[in-house]
């Protein structure tokens, strides 16, 4: 139930990510902070109390929600009516209007303003005054609860109706405004950017310094007073600076609110944070990739219908309306049309422009034309505008790379910009001579290549991918060697690409999500089964870590399957393969390291069924005596019992733990041979090379696995036979409630015998049916065990003397000596007694001789075998279940049972190193070294664990 809830939540989150903002326009500026789609509304449709928002092409009421002020629309903004003060408060878009109570005798008696009576301004005023409300509030008898900036028509420093003067000792003058110097203090850092443009060295942005001299004033009016014209001017200055990323550039405020989410984190809790308008930047990452992969329904099936807005440098709207490529064509030839799928010869125009032509264009436009383009499309029977992204290739190095998620896309651009030359200290040529043009500007920056690129769906001719405008600028220095006859290239083209959803889209958008969902389901199912084995709660830290570990392995398999599908269908590219392979390799490495370490630390007990000889002295051969008497002897029995059987069994387990079903060295050898033979047919394509490496490595692996199964005796069965020969069983617990049991009791009752007895045993074996199994007349010796819950608690009590021992390094051979050396320490003796007790306990438990602790034997159902789970396990405090294990599942704690996990990690490591080095020999050598290192580390782990759990000195172990 918990898993289904999580699954439904994931699906809802995924479906909720499909925003409607790409289909329907926002109802207000607050609805969508950085939109790309607009529903165009004509200004004539605005009501009397609405103004026209140029950023949304929509009519917006002047009064905000809950505000009953006196604001009046002024076409593109809102303003206070005549005879009112404008008070700009923090967090509000528009000012608060307060009626002016004049000091004249004829003032209105109904005036209820809290501010002091203002003198009536003169008839002709040239200044407006901005100051903090605290300056006025300090002179009021009642302090108003308003904190902000107040705009007055008269000078607050004068008691008369002065509206002409501005004392620049304490104020700044900008246009017809007189600003108190305290208001500009937060914006003085913009002077640093202005000073960098006025330095003697050439400015990297190539813009005129005079345009940035008023940058602090523009930023103040935009960011503090929310003046839309000033914000448009600030955006134009950002474009003029070539989208400078410096800290004090005009772009800093746009980058902070439109690209970064930091401003949302540090915003005031009571303030509604809004993105700065107009919108200039797109966010990087997956947002950019999704934007460029979007397809739109065209309003006209025959051509692209584009719409453009043009702003002057001062922030005023110059023009809007239909757009044609003639508006950006610098060549004398006609520009291409916007007809869909037109031939290449008709879709491109190029020419050489003289320097004189470029200077004339710069003089005409004077850095005063800033364009934004939109595509007219239809959706849900509505005609909408979608802003076109602009990729300036010369803006950042990332914009020249093929990875779309690294691009920094913008929304506004200019065709040509010029940096004027300071001619006050230089002798100039008369303006009527041609040489005068070379002295007007220090440098030029113009678009030398403009490309309008879109994708066209083969199956749906009326749907196109969102067009992308690609720009490449050229910077020209007008030095002393410049000549008006110098020519520079210009190209204007419209390109398109016929696309259909190929294999890469099908694999990445359909197959990969399904594989990840399957990985999540398998991990959740594995967690549920593990929780039943451990008898633990679902919402525990250990359960969460186990789920993450299983999820890591499953995701690695899903990513590898995706990579193999991409390679098999030749739908891959290096930038697509690298993140998939690197991520899968890291996840599989984490999983395999943790899994093998846990497998090597399992609880291991070697049960010795060998009985003493003292009770059978009268018999020469004790073939028919019961072996149950072995369960009541101790390690300090009267008769000597050899310890070599224990040592041989333990060493055989260590050897078996590091055995593998395939040879990595053979894999690499065959891979290199095949690669050298077929590499010339790949023509240097990285995808084909990776496909060749993957295919060869997988085929070689499958051949080795088949050969191992057909030609080599199963080493797991050989180990079981060794246990029967040694009369030793192996009892292991991977979890307190889950483990494996190998029944190695000899059917003859003993194994420590001479040659004559051994020959007689062989003769008797030929006449016996299967009696080596745990059940009567059965050869089933391997079991998956779910022991009673009390078993682990009882074992801990028996091993308590051993845990208190000083050392566990005493060889187990001492435990089988006839006489105990008197000098043996008492703690070692207690350890010996503890392990003898454990051996007697397991013998009694296996023989059903413990009344309060028993088990049943059953076979797993087909479903349980298929999903490696236990559905009906009949586990209680005193009763467990032994499942017959024909598949020898105890190999899962050995390298033999993890050969697929190791192979997956090897192939991922091989591909990762090959993609990094492009050298197969290095990749193959490192894969072999990794396999050797893995086997060595696992052998050390298993060896130490066997020594610690069986009390065998490490010097007797391999």
């Amino acid at each position: 139930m918990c898993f289904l809830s999580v699954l439904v939540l994931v699906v809802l989150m995924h479906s909720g990510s499909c925003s409607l903002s790409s289909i329907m326009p926002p109802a207000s500026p607050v609805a969508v902070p950085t939109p790309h789609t607009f529903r165009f509304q004509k200004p004539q449709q605005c009501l009397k109390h609405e103004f026209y928002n140029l950023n949304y092409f929509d009519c917006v009421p002047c009064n905000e929600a809950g505000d009953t002020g006196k604001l009046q629309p002024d076409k593109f903004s809102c303003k206070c009516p005549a005879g009112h003060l404008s008070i700009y408060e923090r967090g509000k878009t528009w000012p608060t209007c307060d009626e002016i109570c004049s000091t004249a005798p004829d003032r209105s008696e109904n005036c209820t303003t809290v501010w002091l009576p203002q003198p009536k301004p003169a008839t002709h005023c040239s200044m407006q005054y901005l100051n903090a409300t605290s300056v006025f509030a300090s002179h009021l008898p009642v302090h108003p609860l308003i904190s902000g900036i107040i705009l007055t028509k008269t000078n607050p420093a004068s008691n008369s109706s002065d509206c002409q003067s501005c004392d620049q000792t304490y104020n700044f003058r900008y246009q017809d405004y007189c600003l108190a110097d305290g208001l500009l203090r937060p914006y003085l850092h913009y002077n640093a950017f202005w000073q960098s443009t006025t330095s003697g060295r050439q400015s990297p942005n190539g813009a005129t310094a005079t345009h940035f001299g008023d940058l602090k004033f523009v930023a103040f009016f935009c960011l503090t007073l929310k003046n839309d014209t000033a914000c448009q001017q600030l955006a134009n200055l950002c474009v003029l600076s070539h989208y400078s990323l410096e800290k004090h550039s005009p772009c800093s405020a746009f980058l902070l609110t439109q690209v970064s989410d930091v401003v949302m984190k540090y915003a005031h809790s009571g303030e509604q944070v809004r993105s700065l308008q107009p919108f200039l930047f797109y966010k990087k990452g997956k947002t950019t990739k999704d934007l460029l992969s979007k397809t739109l329904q065209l309003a006209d099936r025959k051509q692209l219908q584009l719409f453009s807005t043009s702003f002057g440098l001062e922030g005023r709207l110059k023009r809007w309306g239909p757009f044609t490529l003639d508006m950006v064509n610098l060549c004398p030839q006609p520009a291409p049309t916007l007809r869909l799928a037109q031939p290449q010869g008709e879709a491109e125009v190029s020419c050489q422009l003289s320097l004189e032509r470029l200077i004339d264009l710069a003089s005409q436009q004077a850095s005063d034309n800033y364009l934004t383009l939109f595509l007219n499309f239809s959706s849900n029977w509505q005609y909408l505008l979608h802003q076109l992204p602009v990729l300036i290739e010369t803006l950042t190095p990332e914009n020249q790379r093929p990875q779309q998620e690294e691009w920094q896309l913008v929304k506004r651009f200019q065709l040509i910009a010029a940096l004027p030359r300071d001619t006050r200290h230089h002798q100039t040529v008369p303006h009527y001579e041609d040489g005068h043009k070379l002295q007007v500007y220090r440098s030029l920056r113009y678009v030398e290549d403009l490309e309008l690129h879109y994708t066209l769906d083969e199956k749906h001719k009326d749907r196109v991918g969102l067009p992308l405008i690609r720009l490449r600028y050229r910077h020209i220095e007008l030095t002393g060697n410049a000549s008006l006859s110098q020519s520079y290239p210009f190209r204007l083209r419209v390109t398109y690409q016929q696309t259909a959803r190929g294999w890469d889209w099908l694999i990445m958008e359909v197959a990969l999500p399904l594989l990840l969902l399957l990985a999540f389901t398998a991990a959740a199912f594995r967690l549920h089964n593990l929780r039943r084995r451990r008898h633990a709660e679902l919402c525990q830290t250990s359960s969460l870590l186990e789920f993450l570990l299983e999820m890591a392995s499953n995701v690695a398999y899903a990513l590898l399957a995706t990579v193999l599908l991409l390679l098999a269908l030749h739908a891959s590219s290096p930038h697509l393969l690298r993140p998939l392979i690197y991520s899968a390799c890291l996840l599989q490495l984490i999983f395999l390291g943790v899994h093998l370490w846990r497998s090597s630390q399992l609880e291991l007990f070697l049960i010795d069924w060998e009985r003493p000889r003292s009770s059978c002295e009268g018999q020469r051969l004790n073939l028919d005596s019961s072996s149950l008497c072995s369960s009541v002897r101790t390690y300090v029995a009267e008769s000597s019992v050899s310890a070599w059987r224990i040592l041989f069994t333990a060493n055989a387990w260590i050897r078996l733990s590091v055995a593998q079903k395939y040879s990595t060295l053979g894999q690499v050898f065959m891979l290199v041979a095949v690669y050298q033979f077929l590499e010339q047919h790949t023509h240097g394509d990285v995808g084909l090379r990776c496909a060749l490496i993957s295919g060869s490595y997988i085929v070689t692996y499958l051949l080795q696995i088949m050969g191992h199964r057909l030609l080599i005796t199963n080493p797991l069965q050989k180990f079981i036979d060794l246990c029967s020969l040694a009369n030793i069983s192996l009892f292991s617990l991977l979890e307190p409630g889950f483990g494996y049991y190998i029944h190695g009791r000899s059917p003859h009752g003993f194994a420590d015998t001479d040659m004559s007895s051994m020959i007689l045993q062989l003769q008797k074996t030929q006449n016996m049916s299967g009696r080596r199994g745990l059940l009567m007349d059965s050869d089933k010796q391997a079991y998956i065990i779910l022991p009673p819950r009390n078993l682990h608690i009882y074992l801990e009590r028996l091993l308590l003397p051993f845990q208190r021992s000083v050392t566990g390094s005493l060889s187990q051979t001492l435990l089988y000596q006839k006489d105990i050396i008197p000098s043996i320490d008492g703690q070692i003796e207690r350890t010996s007694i503890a392990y003898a007790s454990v051996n007697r306990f397991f013998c009694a438990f296996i023989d059903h001789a413990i009344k309060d602790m028993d088990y049943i034997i059953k076979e797993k159902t087909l479903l349980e075998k298929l999903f490696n789970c236990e559905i009906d396990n009949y586990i209680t405090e005193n009763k467990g279940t032994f499942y017959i294990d024909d598949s020898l599942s105890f190999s899962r704690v050995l390298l033999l049972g993890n050969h697929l996990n190791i192979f997956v990690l090897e192939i991922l490591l091989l591909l990762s190193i090959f993609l990094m080095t492009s050298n197969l020999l290095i990749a193959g050598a490192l894969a072999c070294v990794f396999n050797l290192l893995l086997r060595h580390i696992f052998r050390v782990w298993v060896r130490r664990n066997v020594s610690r759990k069986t009390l065998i000195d490490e010097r007797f172990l391999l």
Side-chain angles (χ1 to χ4, degrees):
M1 189 66 184
C2 181
F3 162 69
L4 291 177
S5 302
V6 173
L7 183 59
V8 171
L9 179 61
V10 171
V11 173
L12 290 177
M13 291 173 61
H14 179 73
S15 61
S17 63
C18 303
S19 176
L20 295 177
S21 60
S22 61
I23 301 177
M24 298 297 295
S28 65
V30 185
V32 182
T34 54
H36 314 305
T37 305
F38 311 96
R39 177 172 53 87
F40 185 81
Q41 189 175 6
K42 296 181 179 180
Q44 295 81 0
Q45 298 175 339
C46 295
L47 302 178
K48 291 183 178 181
H49 66 284
E50 295 178 333
F51 76 100
Y52 194 80
N53 191 327
L54 291 173
N55 298 313
Y56 291 91
F57 303 102
D58 196 12
C59 296
V60 181
C62 280
N63 298 324
E64 298 182 1
D67 188 3
T68 58
K70 304 174 183 179
L71 285 171
Q72 296 180 355
D74 186 22
K75 195 171 184 178
F76 297 131
S77 63
C78 295
K79 68 176 183 178
C80 291
H84 287 72
L85 297 174
S86 299
I87 305 166
Y88 299 89
E89 300 180 61
R90 179 182 176 89
K92 286 190 175 182
T93 305
W94 302 112
T96 302
C97 302
D98 202 353
E99 185 181 359
I100 299 176
C101 294
S102 174
T103 57
D106 58 347
R107 68 175 183 174
S108 173
E109 296 181 357
N110 297 328
C111 182
T112 59
T113 180
V114 299
W115 305 102
L116 290 175
Q118 300 291 320
K120 185 177 181 180
T123 306
H124 301 286
C125 291
S126 59
M127 300 297 297
Q128 300 182 72
Y129 300 89
L130 285 166
N131 210 327
T133 54
S134 58
V135 176
F136 293 84
S138 60
H139 299 88
L140 298 179
V142 179
H143 196 291
L145 299 176
I146 296 178
S147 177
I149 299 173
I150 188 169
L151 174 65
T152 62
K153 298 294 184 180
T154 58
N155 191 347
S158 174
N159 295 328
S160 62
S161 58
D162 177 24
C163 60
Q164 306 289 339
S165 62
C166 181
D167 187 1
Q168 299 192 28
T169 306
Y170 306 102
N171 302 276
F172 290 99
R173 181 171 181 175
Y174 173 66
Q175 296 178 355
D176 61 341
Y177 290 95
C178 184
L179 297 85
D181 54 1
L183 302 179
L184 269 295
R185 192 172 293 113
Y187 300 95
L188 295 180
H189 64 88
Y190 284 104
N191 285 335
F193 184 78
W194 169 58
Q195 292 168 1
S196 67
T197 60
T198 58
S199 60
R201 60 178 177 86
Q202 171 61 38
S203 174
N205 52 55
T208 172
T210 57
H211 293 148
F212 299 104
D214 297 332
L215 180 56
K216 58 179 177 294
F217 300 110
V218 178
F220 167 76
F221 276 88
C222 173
L223 302 179
T224 300
L225 302 188
K226 307 295 190 299
N227 185 285
D228 185 68
T229 302
C231 290
Q232 296 289 351
Q233 183 178 0
L234 188 63
N236 294 336
L237 291 175
C238 176
V239 178
L240 186 61
S241 69
H242 201 48
Y243 289 99
S244 173
L245 301 180
E246 296 183 18
K247 182 178 180 181
H248 307 296
S249 74
C251 304
S252 58
F254 295 98
L255 288 168
L256 186 63
T257 60
Q258 297 178 10
V259 177
S260 174
D261 295 327
V262 177
V263 67
M264 305 298 179
K265 180 178 180 181
Y266 294 99
H268 189 270
S269 58
E271 178 184 353
Q272 184 178 12
V273 180
R274 309 186 186 199
S275 249
L276 181 61
Q277 302 171 13
F279 306 107
L280 285 184
F281 293 96
Y282 292 90
K283 286 189 177 182
K284 288 185 178 181
K286 190 175 184 296
T287 305
T288 298
K289 190 173 182 180
D290 294 341
L291 176 73
L292 297 178
S293 61
K294 182 186 299 184
T295 58
L296 302 173
Q297 180 85 27
L298 290 179
D300 188 345
R301 296 191 175 188
K302 296 183 178 180
Q303 66 177 2
L304 297 174
Q305 290 186 352
L306 300 184
F307 180 86
S308 69
T309 60
S310 175
F311 285 86
L313 180 60
E314 300 299 326
R316 304 290 180 183
L317 179 65
K318 296 177 63 175
R319 179 198 172 274
W320 72 7
F323 174 83
T324 62
L325 292 178
D326 290 318
M327 299 178 181
V328 292
N329 183 22
L330 303 183
C331 289
Q333 301 96 313
T337 64
L338 295 175
R339 182 165 50 90
L340 292 176
Q342 56 183 326
Q344 184 177 1
E346 302 176 7
E348 179 177 339
V349 60
S350 60
C351 62
Q352 294 290 325
L353 299 175
S354 64
L355 181 58
E356 182 178 11
R357 169 65 175 162
L358 290 174
I359 293 176
D360 292 340
L361 289 173
S363 301
Q364 294 172 11
Q365 298 193 11
S367 300
D368 199 42
N369 189 28
Y370 298 86
L371 296 171
T372 305
L373 301 185
F374 304 85
L375 174 67
N376 186 11
F377 72 102
S378 62
S379 178
N380 294 337
W381 301 279
Q382 290 186 352
Y383 291 101
L384 307 174
L385 294 178
H386 197 297
Q387 204 160 13
L388 297 189
V390 179
L391 175 65
I392 302 178
E393 296 179 352
T394 53
L395 185 60
T396 61
E398 290 81 4
N399 284 7
Q400 301 177 18
R401 299 173 184 171
Q403 291 83 358
Q404 296 179 347
E405 57 273 11
E406 297 182 6
W407 290 351
Q408 179 58 74
L409 301 178
V410 295
K411 303 183 180 184
R412 187 174 292 193
F413 69 97
Q414 60 177 163
L415 281 177
I416 188 168
L419 174 63
R421 187 189 302 273
D422 187 2
T423 59
R424 293 176 296 177
H425 306 291
H426 299 83
Q427 185 178 0
T428 59
V429 178
H431 67 278
Y432 49 80
E433 295 186 12
D434 291 340
H436 173 75
K437 295 182 178 180
L438 295 174
Q439 297 185 345
V440 176
Y441 302 108
R442 290 174 54 188
S443 63
L444 298 175
R445 186 182 66 242
Y446 80 101
V447 176
E448 69 170 357
D449 192 293
L450 190 152
E451 177 187 0
L452 179 65
H453 178 77
Y454 62 92
T455 58
L456 192 61
D457 198 328
E458 294 181 353
K459 298 182 179 179
H460 305 87
K461 300 297 184 181
D462 58 340
R463 297 190 66 87
V464 298
L466 181 65
L468 173 67
I469 303 173
R470 304 178 70 107
L471 302 179
R472 186 171 66 248
Y473 283 91
R474 176 184 286 265
H475 188 79
I476 304 175
E477 291 286 344
L478 300 181
T479 59
N481 298 328
S483 172
L484 294 176
S485 60
Q486 290 178 344
S487 59
Y488 295 93
F490 174 78
R491 181 172 63 171
L492 174 64
R493 52 180 173 161
V494 180
T495 60
Y496 73 96
Q497 181 181 2
Q498 292 278 2
T499 60
R501 289 181 173 177
W503 288 113
D504 56 345
W505 178 89
L506 186 63
I507 294 173
M508 297 301 296
E509 300 296 333
V510 179
L512 180 58
L514 291 177
L515 290 172
L516 292 177
L517 180 61
L518 182 62
F520 178 84
T521 306
F525 181 79
R526 166 70 176 167
L527 175 63
H528 176 69
N529 189 44
L530 189 65
R531 183 182 63 85
R532 296 185 62 186
R533 291 176 178 176
R534 293 180 175 179
H535 314 291
E537 297 294 332
L538 183 61
C539 299
Q540 289 183 350
T541 304
S542 59
S543 299
L544 178 61
L545 293 177
E546 192 69 33
F547 173 76
L548 293 178
L549 184 64
E550 289 295 326
M551 192 67 182
S553 176
N554 295 345
V555 170
Y557 274 84
L559 295 179
L560 177 60
T562 303
V563 169
L564 295 179
L565 286 175
L566 290 171
L567 294 175
L569 299 174
H570 194 50
S572 61
S573 58
H575 76 274
L576 185 61
L577 292 176
R578 285 190 178 95
L580 295 175
I581 294 176
Y582 295 163
S583 302
C585 184
L586 179 61
L587 292 174
Q588 185 67 7
L589 179 62
I590 294 173
F591 166 78
L592 190 61
V594 176
H595 176 69
L596 291 182
W597 181 83
R598 290 174 55 185
S599 299
S600 67
Q601 305 302 310
L602 81 169
E603 297 291 338
L604 188 67
F605 302 96
L606 297 178
I607 306 173
D608 190 358
W609 295 97
E610 193 73 11
R611 65 177 180 267
R613 301 294 184 88
S614 58
S615 61
C616 308
E617 291 180 354
Q619 300 180 6
R620 179 178 182 272
L621 299 175
N622 48 4
L623 296 177
D624 300 323
S625 60
S626 173
S627 64
L628 187 58
C629 62
S630 65
S631 63
V632 297
R633 72 168 180 85
T634 66
Y635 285 111
V636 288
E638 293 294 332
S639 297
S640 176
V641 178
S642 175
W644 290 110
R645 296 174 297 101
I646 294 286
L647 298 181
F648 280 134
T649 305
N651 283 313
W653 175 261
I654 295 175
R655 287 194 300 269
L656 182 67
S657 66
V658 295
Q660 287 188 280
K661 287 188 176 182
Y662 69 96
S663 169
T664 303
L665 183 61
Q667 291 268 125
V668 173
F669 178 79
M670 290 297 299
L671 173 63
V672 173
V674 174
Y675 183 82
Q676 293 293 338
F677 181 72
L678 298 177
E679 190 268 339
Q680 58 183 352
H681 300 289
T682 62
H683 305 291
D685 185 83
V686 177
L688 289 177
R689 289 182 175 183
C690 291
L692 177 60
I693 293 173
S694 303
S696 302
Y697 206 74
I698 292 174
V699 170
T700 307
Y701 167 76
L702 294 177
L703 290 176
Q704 287 202 70
I705 295 299
M706 294 174 60
H708 186 277
R709 180 180 293 272
L710 297 176
L711 304 177
I712 301 178
T713 306
N714 189 351
L716 301 175
Q717 187 60 49
K718 290 175 66 176
F719 178 77
I720 295 176
D721 295 339
L722 176 64
C723 289
S724 295
L725 183 64
N727 201 15
I728 291 175
S729 295
L730 187 144
F731 192 99
S732 61
L733 292 176
L734 192 60
E735 302 284 347
F738 177 81
Y740 303 99
Y741 174 66
I742 299 176
H743 188 62
R745 174 190 284 184
S746 174
H748 311 290
F750 63 92
D752 202 2
T753 183
D754 54 15
M755 183 62 67
S756 301
S757 299
M758 187 176 296
I759 295 174
L760 290 177
Q761 289 179 6
L762 292 175
Q763 292 177 352
K764 189 172 183 178
T765 303
Q766 295 176 356
N767 301 324
M768 290 191 308
S769 58
R771 290 180 54 188
R772 290 171 54 178
L774 184 57
L775 292 174
M776 181 116 12
D777 299 330
S778 172
D779 279 331
K780 308 296 183 181
Q781 294 179 265
Y783 298 89
I784 297 175
I785 60 175
L786 275 71
R789 297 172 185 174
N790 289 336
L791 183 139
H792 195 267
I793 299 175
Y794 192 77
L795 279 179
E796 290 180 348
R797 294 177 182 175
L798 293 177
L799 292 176
L800 188 60
F802 167 69
Q803 295 172 355
R804 293 177 179 177
S805 299
V806 177
T807 176
S809 61
L810 182 65
S811 172
Q812 193 168 353
T813 56
L814 294 178
L815 306 179
Y816 291 86
Q817 291 184 359
K818 181 176 181 180
D819 298 320
I820 295 292
I821 300 176
S823 61
I824 292 180
D825 188 82
Q827 291 181 342
I828 303 300
E829 184 177 359
R830 285 195 299 270
T831 302
S832 303
I833 295 174
Y835 266 83
S837 301
V838 170
N839 192 81
R840 292 199 311 272
F841 166 74
F842 276 121
C843 289
F845 174 72
I846 297 300
D847 283 338
H848 302 277
I850 301 179
K851 181 179 180 181
D852 297 333
M853 197 175 299
D854 203 357
Y855 63 92
I856 62 172
I857 300 175
K858 60 179 298 187
E859 290 191 5
K860 280 191 173 185
T861 64
L862 180 62
L863 189 64
E864 289 176 327
K865 292 179 181 179
L866 184 62
F867 292 101
N868 185 28
C869 65
E870 299 83 27
I871 299 176
D872 298 324
N873 48 33
Y874 305 105
I875 299 298
T876 63
E877 299 293 335
N878 302 318
K879 194 170 186 179
T881 303
F882 279 32
Y883 291 97
I884 298 175
D885 184 19
D886 293 327
S887 60
L888 306 182
S889 300
F890 69 91
S891 64
R892 292 180 180 138
V893 297
L894 311 172
L895 294 187
L896 280 172
N898 290 278
H899 63 92
L900 183 58
N901 289 326
I902 299 173
F903 167 75
V904 168
L905 182 56
E906 284 182 359
I907 192 173
L908 288 171
L909 184 64
L910 193 70
L911 292 174
S912 299
I913 298 174
F914 179 77
L915 288 175
M916 288 187 287
T917 63
S918 300
N919 192 314
L920 183 60
L921 292 178
I922 295 177
L926 291 179
C928 292
V929 171
F930 167 77
N931 185 268
L932 292 175
L933 185 63
L934 177 68
R935 296 182 63 186
H936 174 73
I937 293 175
F938 190 68
R939 176 190 290 270
V940 171
W941 287 347
V942 173
R943 187 171 179 267
R944 291 178 179 176
N945 184 66
V946 169
S947 175
R948 185 171 62 254
K949 300 297 174 57
T950 62
L951 201 63
I952 299 177
D953 195 292
E954 286 194 39
R955 290 172 293 182
F956 291 100
L957 299 178
L958 298 178

